[in-house]
Amino acid sequence: MSLNLDFSFLTSDVVKANLLPGLYYSLQLTVVTMVCGVVLGTLVALMRLSSKPWLQRIAAIYVDTLRSIPLLMVILWFYLLIPASFYSFIAGGYGLAHRPEFSAVITFTIFEAAYYSEIMRAGIQSVSRGQVYAGYAVGMTYSQCMRLVVLPQAFRNMLPVLLTQTIVLFQDTSLVYAIGAYDFLKGFLTAGQIYNRPDEVLLPAAACYFAISFSLSMLVRRLQSRIQIIR
Amino acid sequence: MIDIKNISKWYGSFQVLTDCTTTINKGDVVVVCGPSGSGKSTLIKTVNALEPIQQGDIVVDGTSISDPKTNLPKLRSRVGMVFQHFELFPHLSITDNLTLAQIKVLGRSKDESLKRGMKMLDRVGLSNQKDKFPGQLSGGQQQRVAIARALSMDPIVMLFDEPTSALDPEMVGEVLDVMVQLAHEGMTMMCVTHEMGFAKRVSNKVIFMDAGKIVEDCSSADFFGKPEERSPRAKDFLSKILQH
């Protein structure tokens, strides 16, 4: 069998009609998940570090459970378990029509929050006890001390790791293919189907994921040296 | 102003403070000294309830710290504290370090807190450093900013927890100068320190601790002037520390 690769079907029309909408959704999913996941993850981290044993337990169960289940299964389970009425409730007819896309956002946020929470936990623990004392000593409440003193430092210390996790997340979003959400990969696959090139299309898809992820990694590396707190 | 009444504290089964009692009056400059591990730092941290106590009570300006109804953040905002390792907020500029708590805790306006903060920064002689970050200052400068930060809150008393122990020797003087000036202005101060020169010159009361107990609680004139009346443990400590 000879390799007979033909990429000529990848015209600007295909890019516009299939790839860009897919890329747009993948990026949207990544950014929304990152923002919501970091917020939720920070809350989980604070629960895990709280002095109340029952809060610690809930957070630990949450994190350990989600980190022990493959992402693909979580995506499928959430898709199958959340009833259609939920989507029509949050976004009406649009929600119903884009059920996989909405389901993916919810799933990824909940799933990635487990990972982000461990990163934020390490970040919070990297801030010295003395800083907490200093916050309390000037009269801050627990929440002020967290918001104004600890979390800004934790976040800065952990930003490179958070962004690296986000790059992994961007690659993982391709798994929504399993529930039929129209993401970047699905855009390629659709184009491949239309033009009857289902195999060739995987190569440029991989190349695009690589190019995006790699350049983001480089960016993180540059950012890392710029945001460090002067000590 | 500060009434420490029979307090005891345990870390697990290890008792760090045993039945400590003392009183600090308005205008007092009290030096707390003793060998390391004797509970000095723990004692001073119990005064603003950074370290909880299991027995006894501390009353600061009429407010009991062990009363569950006490608003501890509010009480702490009136008690200035300076730490061994400065603990400036490294992610904020010097200006923001000085104004943050004034704005967020005391509810002062930005202008007012800036004015107050700059006045205090000027007082410790560092006005020209206001736009820098803590990491860009020397240890002595950072500690002076930390003192200014505490003073910006208009505290009724200042607590110093080994303020010069983490400093290079040539920077100890600049921090002590600020503290001496503060004492002369009538600030009520409680200082954990090994600076016996400072204790001798400025303090009017010395508390000597050993193994979690207050062994000596007397005027500094007596503490340094009448060594023969001191307990054996204090004598031993003094002989070691004063021969240098």
Side-chain angles (χ1 to χ4, degrees):
Chain A
M1 180 190 136
S2 71
L3 263 178
N4 188 13
L5 296 174
D6 179 8
F7 297 114
S8 60
F9 69 97
L10 286 169
T11 60
S12 65
D13 284 347
V14 172
V15 170
K16 231 186 264 169
N18 298 113
L19 304 189
L20 282 183
L23 177 63
Y24 180 65
Y25 172 71
S26 288
L27 292 176
Q28 224 177 5
L29 178 57
T30 306
V31 171
V32 172
T33 301
M34 176 180 72
V35 174
C36 300
V38 168
V39 172
L40 182 60
T42 303
L43 287 176
V44 174
L46 288 174
M47 282 167 69
R48 206 153 185 192
L49 294 171
S50 92
S51 52
K52 303 204 170 46
W54 62 276
L55 276 178
Q56 291 174 21
R57 262 197 88 70
I58 294 174
I61 291 170
Y62 177 89
V63 172
D64 292 340
T65 308
L66 282 166
R67 293 210 308 173
S68 312
I69 304 174
L71 175 55
L72 184 56
M73 291 173 76
V74 181
I75 293 170
L76 289 169
W77 275 108
F78 267 78
Y79 182 59
L80 297 171
L81 284 179
I82 301 177
S85 55
F86 176 77
Y87 299 102
S88 63
F89 175 72
I90 55 169
Y94 186 80
L96 271 182
H98 294 85
R99 200 174 146 194
E101 284 79 10
F102 274 96
S103 170
V105 170
I106 296 166
T107 311
F108 271 88
T109 298
I110 290 171
F111 186 83
E112 291 295 324
Y115 287 85
Y116 284 129
S117 84
E118 287 296 279
I119 297 173
M120 283 312 289
R121 180 164 75 131
I124 292 166
Q125 284 175 324
S126 75
V127 179
S128 74
R129 183 93 194 117
Q131 285 287 303
V132 181
Y133 276 148
Y136 284 151
V138 289
M140 288 182 190
T141 59
Y142 169 81
S143 93
Q144 283 177 324
C145 190
M146 279 297 151
R147 271 188 299 119
L148 303 169
V149 177
V150 177
L151 289 180
Q153 293 183 58
F155 198 72
R156 237 164 276 209
N157 292 348
M158 286 297 128
L159 195 58
V161 191
L162 286 171
L163 290 175
T164 304
Q165 175 67 27
T166 303
I167 295 170
V168 175
L169 160 68
F170 171 70
Q171 293 162 26
D172 285 349
T173 58
S174 61
L175 287 172
V176 299
Y177 149 79
I179 54 172
Y182 199 99
D183 75 326
F184 198 31
L185 177 61
K186 177 88 170 178
F188 276 103
L189 295 173
T190 308
Q193 258 166 10
I194 295 172
Y195 297 95
N196 201 24
R197 295 283 170 202
D199 299 335
E200 277 99 326
V201 86
L202 288 172
L203 257 174
C208 286
Y209 273 99
F210 174 82
I212 293 170
S213 302
F214 186 72
S215 36
L216 286 175
S217 301
M218 292 295 109
L219 240 120
V220 171
R221 205 174 290 177
R222 284 187 51 183
L223 190 73
Q224 191 167 6
S225 53
R226 284 189 49 187
I227 51 129
Q228 269 166 350
I229 298 172
I230 310 155
R231 287 190 192 278
Chain B
M1 175 172 286
I2 299 175
D3 249 321
I4 300 176
K5 297 184 222 169
N6 307 97
I7 63 164
S8 294
K9 177 181 173 63
W10 287 262
Y11 284 123
S13 61
F14 178 71
Q15 187 161 12
V16 271
L17 295 176
T18 308
D19 200 27
C20 295
T21 301
T22 189
T23 302
I24 294 165
N25 297 311
K26 193 167 166 25
D28 273 354
V29 176
V30 179
V31 161
V32 183
C33 60
S36 47
S38 59
K40 317 176 292 282
S41 283
T42 310
L43 178 72
I44 202 169
K45 285 198 184 90
T46 60
V47 172
N48 59 353
L50 284 182
E51 291 283 1
I53 49 173
Q54 279 85 43
Q55 258 175 37
D57 192 15
I58 300 175
V59 178
V60 179
D61 198 33
T63 312
S64 153
I65 62 149
S66 55
D67 183 347
K69 283 193 292 263
T70 296
N71 182 341
L72 283 179
K74 194 170 174 197
L75 175 71
R76 291 189 189 118
S77 72
R78 303 176 63 213
V79 177
M81 184 151 202
V82 174
F83 297 88
Q84 181 176 5
H85 296 287
F86 332 135
E87 304 300 351
L88 293 175
F89 305 130
H91 59 300
L92 300 176
S93 69
I94 300 306
T95 305
D96 290 340
N97 264 280
L98 292 167
T99 57
L100 180 72
Q102 291 188 68
I103 296 170
K104 302 286 181 181
V105 175
L106 300 181
R108 287 180 182 163
S109 73
K110 231 177 176 166
D111 285 349
E112 191 191 354
S113 52
L114 195 64
K115 219 165 127 189
R116 180 78 191 146
M118 286 310 118
K119 199 175 156 197
M120 290 303 117
L121 194 60
D122 187 43
R123 188 176 168 166
V124 299
L126 292 170
S127 298
N128 51 342
Q129 312 285 349
K130 66 181 168 63
D131 296 320
K132 288 196 179 162
F133 281 79
Q136 294 169 302
L137 303 186
S138 72
Q141 289 173 324
Q142 287 191 54
Q143 195 61 299
R144 282 147 70 196
V145 173
I147 294 173
R149 175 175 70 180
L151 290 176
S152 309
M153 302 289 285
D154 297 309
I156 54 170
V157 56
M158 286 283 284
L159 308 175
F160 292 84
D161 183 9
E162 303 207 26
T164 56
S165 303
L167 295 173
D168 289 340
E170 75 264 33
M171 289 169 186
V172 171
E174 60 186 81
V175 172
L176 286 180
D177 285 346
V178 172
M179 291 171 63
V180 169
Q181 189 197 352
L182 207 55
H184 286 328
E185 286 167 23
M187 175 61 80
T188 310
M189 292 161 67
M190 183 174 181
C191 318
V192 173
T193 184
H194 296 296
E195 298 295 334
M196 287 301 121
F198 171 81
K200 228 176 191 171
R201 255 188 318 146
V202 192
S203 76
N204 61 336
K205 179 172 156 137
V206 174
I207 291 171
F208 175 80
M209 292 186 72
D210 186 37
K213 294 193 185 89
I214 292 180
V215 180
E216 300 274 352
D217 182 354
C218 59
S219 75
S220 64
D222 280 356
F223 189 77
F224 294 106
K226 298 178 184 164
E228 65 282 358
E229 288 176 18
R230 304 279 68 82
S231 66
R233 192 65 194 83
K235 263 186 211 163
D236 182 45
F237 178 79
L238 276 171
S239 70
K240 275 178 191 152
I241 218 159
L242 289 179
Q243 61 184 259
H244 301 295

